[in-house]
Amino acid sequence: MPLPNSYLEYKHRKHGMDQHHYGWNPADRRDRIELSSGEKVHANIIVPLEFFPLNPPASPFKHPGAMKTPYPDLRHFTTRDYGNRVGVFRILEVLARNDVKATFAINAEIAKRYPPLIKAVKEAGHEIAAHGVSTAHIHYEDLSIEEEQAYISESRSIFPDAKTWMSPARNESTRTLELIKQAGFDICLDWEADSRPLKMNTEAGSVCAIPHYNELSDFKLLVDRSQSEKEWIYQIVEAANYQANLYEKEGASSFAFTVTPYVLGLPFRVQAIADAINSIKTINGVEFKTAQETFAAFNAITR
Amino acid sequence: MHSDPNLYDYWPYHGRPKIVWPDGKKLAFWIAPNIEYYEYMPPSNPLRQPWPRGNPDVVGYSQRTWGNTVGHWRLMDLFDKYNLRGSISLSIGLVDHHPEIIEAVAARKWEFFSHGIYNTRFSYEMDEAQEIAVLKDSIKTVQDATGERIRGYLAPALTHTEKTLDLIADHDFWYTCDLFQDDQPQPIKTKTGKLVSMPYSLEVNDVITYSVQGWSPERYTDLLIKHFDQLLKEGEKSGTVMCIPLHAYLVSQPHRLRCFEDALKHICAHQDDVWFTTGAEIADYFRENYWDQSIADIKSRGVATGGTGFAPA
């Protein structure tokens, strides 16, 4: 049986993108942008606070940090939980000591289970972003619109003031952006299509995508790819330096990267966070900002 | 199936009441060589194959033999040099296969705890009677060989059932090494007994660093030193625990052991601040001095959920 003829039909084959969220805007022919503050680069630290249940569903896929061995996988349940009870407090301490505000992307389930943790994050003055219900609630195309709305409203009811959204495992359906906009979110941390915050269009209005670099994910670099803390620091600092050096040519930019409590919050890794922050702070024009701060600064000049 | 094992309550790391180890020490350090026996032709388990390539796996099997024939003795010499006592995570079947190792370890007054009968016999799908048989076998076999009653447990190959921790608590074990949620001990919510979750520092286990992550000996030593320095610093506020879980078939390899010694040298240079001890001694001290204080503090945080492991309130 050959493939159906439709397999060789290309209905979106034309200049530009094959989806309507944003247009094609190549770097070589667009306006250079400058922030009113004169800042060259915004660095956004994203701290995910996630609940990994002992019995994760297999569909649409298992979250990369989910249980791996047969039930009950106490090993992975407790190593993930370590982040929420021990590792995150080391991260909060490093951020406070260095006077950096981060964006904590929090599962609704974490807020329900661990109120003292939410309180500590709030009191430290960090931004709280809604991060869906849990790692077992991944948004994907086969969900009904009602199911996906239910996930978003559960998250929204826990964090009524949040402006920023990040989907569990950064996975979306084609409806997710519109649904989060309807629920009052203006900023999204799932996409990384540009080096500057990107206006994404939906039927319900626009959402701003703050570039969030998957290739700088601490889970990916340090756990999946077994790189060293030194290599992680080098790459984070290099990204900041490189973007700052391109300021004259490309203008202001931003980059977000994760600092995951069960990865970088381990005793032997926590110093790496401080080392990366200190190196970045020496780069002229690079500032640590929350997602909302970056959105506000770039939105002021692009609208 | 449960989404949460409910084996312990949430306990934020900051603001905990202070733990001080004996003689004012800040960090309790224990080192846990796993002395394991992997079978040449193990039976299959419905949920996990003992050898990923199928039986027999001559490379995997003979590497474990090397660990017991050669590697263990080198590691024991190294511990002797630094005056360290090990807490042995023991495949109980090894008492019959290699009594010479048991005699040498017992002569040094090291501790034994149970790591199942063989590391190729998993807990998955065992019923309660079968799990109890493993525990009774463990207690009796070590008692007969050494006269000592074992107090710790690490499930074979980290395989569990919902009943495992209740059963070990009920058989008067003092501590479990199966949970990795913390760097301080914590009471476990079992139906009976007084079971402590003992930090076993899985992330610095040589199986994780060498076999899973594939790191170099230099990097392993570097991270052990960083791990130790951080936990010692935090131990000023409230006593922490660091364990180095080891496997002679990995760490004692000729290209690794000299480098590992550098980590021990660093750690052992901190005699004033560190309690060099065993799993059972930490568990005993915690149960006697900090059990009630810990439960009271957890309760005061307002997030205790009640119930016991796999039996929520």
Side-chain angles (χ1 to χ4, degrees), chain A residues 13-81:
Chain A
R13 188 176 177 179
K14 58 179 193 297
H15 183 253
M17 308 308 301
D18 60 346
Q19 41 79 21
H20 65 278
H21 292 310
Y22 50 83
W24 167 234
N25 186 21
D28 74 327
R29 61 201 65 194
R30 65 183 181 187
D31 291 343
R32 196 177 157 274
I33 53 173
E34 286 186 8
L35 299 180
S36 56
S37 61
E39 290 155 356
K40 297 174 181 175
V41 180
H42 280 189
N44 313 112
I45 293 179
I46 313 296
V47 182
L49 301 182
E50 303 162 295
F51 178 64
F52 291 94
L54 199 53
N55 55 347
S59 67
F61 55 86
K62 269 212 276 185
H63 190 286
M67 306 300 103
K68 293 188 179 3
T69 70
Y71 179 89
D73 183 355
L74 297 176
R75 169 181 158 195
H76 287 94
F77 184 92
T78 56
T79 50
R80 302 307 179 241
D81 210 26

Side-chain angles (χ1 to χ4, degrees), chain B residues 92-156:
Chain B
I92 299 297
L94 191 127
V95 173
D96 297 306
H97 289 282
H98 303 325
E100 298 81 359
I101 290 183
I102 305 301
E103 283 162 23
V105 169
R108 286 166 171 76
K109 304 283 179 203
W110 291 6
E111 181 196 344
F112 290 104
F113 63 92
S114 175
H115 188 28
I117 307 302
Y118 288 117
N119 218 37
T120 37
R121 301 284 177 117
F122 308 133
S123 313
Y124 301 135
E125 306 283 294
M126 280 191 187
D127 68 13
E128 187 170 322
Q130 289 172 320
E131 280 205 83
I132 289 173
V134 169
L135 298 180
K136 290 195 159 156
D137 185 343
S138 298
I139 295 166
K140 180 172 189 311
T141 302
V142 176
Q143 191 118 36
D144 289 351
T146 70
E148 297 291 324
R149 163 64 215 256
I150 55 169
R151 294 298 177 187
Y153 194 74
L154 173 67

Side-chain angles (χ1 to χ4, degrees), chain A residues 71 82 85 90 113 226, chain B residues 4 162 183 186 213 234:
Chain A
Y71 179 89
Y82 179 94
R85 45 188 286 139
R90 292 198 182 105
R113 297 165 58 90
S226 280
Chain B
D4 182 335
E162 291 189 349
D183 293 312
Q186 175 177 4
Q213 297 287 14
E234 291 174 14

Side-chain angles (χ1 to χ4, degrees), chain A residues 28 62 95 99 104 128 132 158 162 191 193 250:
Chain A
D28 74 327
K62 269 212 276 185
L95 295 174
D99 195 24
F104 283 66
I128 289 183
I158 299 283
W191 296 63
E250 293 188 0

